Amino acid sequence: MNVHEKKILQKRPGWCKIVISTLIPCILGIFTIIFTLQQQQLSKQQQDQQHWHQLDSQRQQSFTTYIDDISEYLTQSSGIDPVTNKTSLLYIRTKTLTVLRTLDVERKKYVVLFLYESGLIRDSRLDLSGADLNYVQLIGPYILNNLTLPGVFWSNATFVNCHLKNAIFDRSVMNNAHFIRSTLESASLVEAALNNTDFTGTTVIYVNFTGALLIEANFLKAEVVQGITFTNSDLFGAHFTTEQYNGQRVTIVRNTFDHARLPNGTFGKIDATIRTLQELR
């Protein structure tokens, strides 16, 4: 080993100390950054959770106040039937539309059930057109005969084990709705938007779909599809069995497809006397 190599070996311990002394602050700095980021993330999660609890508390307060106010109003309207009085219905409509804007879908469901049990959304009494009921699920069993909610926004609705005889959803937007193991009998969905709606296990009989949008609607697994009015409706891409399309089951109760766009893109027979809901007003 020559003199030059000896000098290099003698210098190595010094370089090691320099490297180690440099690495230690770097490692500490990295751990400090990681710890700080973790603390910030934890703090954000805690803040988000606290905010959610505050928001949920506010929603519950709004819901409770609404139910109490309307219940009291219904019982204390001396000499006036609030279910039929126009001034009372306007007051309830305003309160209802206001509270629905603040509630989550679960509490919106209970608002709907409360109004139904109070007799306010049966037989075209309380006008809730424009109400946001998107994603609200009614998972029964529920008997909701004469449920009247025309003109509402109820996309992604779910009805499970619901009896909806004589229900009215005219002009409502109900795309991607699911009617599962339910009964839709003698109901009216005139000019409603029901694209991609599913009717699995549901009895659909004597329903008025005049002018409705039923693009890609799925009737394949429906229990019964008979006596339906599809006049002027758009059924492009809708799914039927041959028996369903012809209204066949034990007996035959034919469906009406006058002037409708059929699943294959062709049109049903044109009747010049057919008018839309708008024209009938």
Side-chain angles (χ1 to χ4, degrees), residues 183-225:
T183 299
L184 200 58
E185 179 183 353
S186 301
S188 181
L189 292 98
V190 173
E191 297 180 1
L194 293 149
N195 298 321
N196 298 297
T197 292
D198 178 55
F199 296 92
T200 297
T202 293
T203 295
V204 189
I205 186 166
Y206 302 120
V207 176
N208 187 358
F209 284 119
T210 297
L213 298 176
L214 287 152
I215 297 171
E216 295 290 341
N218 192 350
F219 292 89
L220 288 175
K221 295 182 180 180
E223 187 69 21
V224 180
V225 181

Side-chain angles (χ1 to χ4, degrees), residues 34-48:
I34 293 173
F35 179 76
T36 302
L37 291 174
Q38 289 177 337
Q39 288 296 106
Q40 289 176 347
Q41 185 178 11
L42 180 61
S43 176
K44 186 178 183 305
Q45 289 175 347
Q46 291 174 340
Q47 289 175 358
D48 290 344

Side-chain angles (χ1 to χ4, degrees), residues 154-159 173-180 189 193-200 217-218:
W154 205 343
S155 291
N156 298 286
T158 299
F159 299 88
V173 178
M174 303 177 73
N175 295 316
N176 304 303
H178 297 274
F179 294 87
I180 301 171
L189 292 98
L194 293 149
N195 298 321
N196 298 297
T197 292
D198 178 55
F199 296 92
T200 297
N218 192 350

Side-chain angles (χ1 to χ4, degrees), residues 17 56 59 61 65 91 113-114 147 153 171 182 187 195 201 226 278 281:
K17 290 180 181 179
D56 189 64
R59 286 171 172 167
Q61 182 62 42
T65 300
Y91 170 79
L113 294 174
F114 167 74
L147 175 64
F153 294 93
R171 301 178 306 281
S182 295
N195 298 321
Q226 288 186 310
Q278 187 70 30
R281 290 177 190 158

Side-chain angles (χ1 to χ4, degrees), residues 28 41 44 53 61 73 80 87 146 161 212 236 279-280:
L28 290 175
Q41 185 178 11
K44 186 178 183 305
H53 283 301
Q61 182 62 42
Y73 186 79
I80 298 175
T87 302
N146 301 299
N161 200 7
F236 183 69
E279 293 170 329
L280 289 171

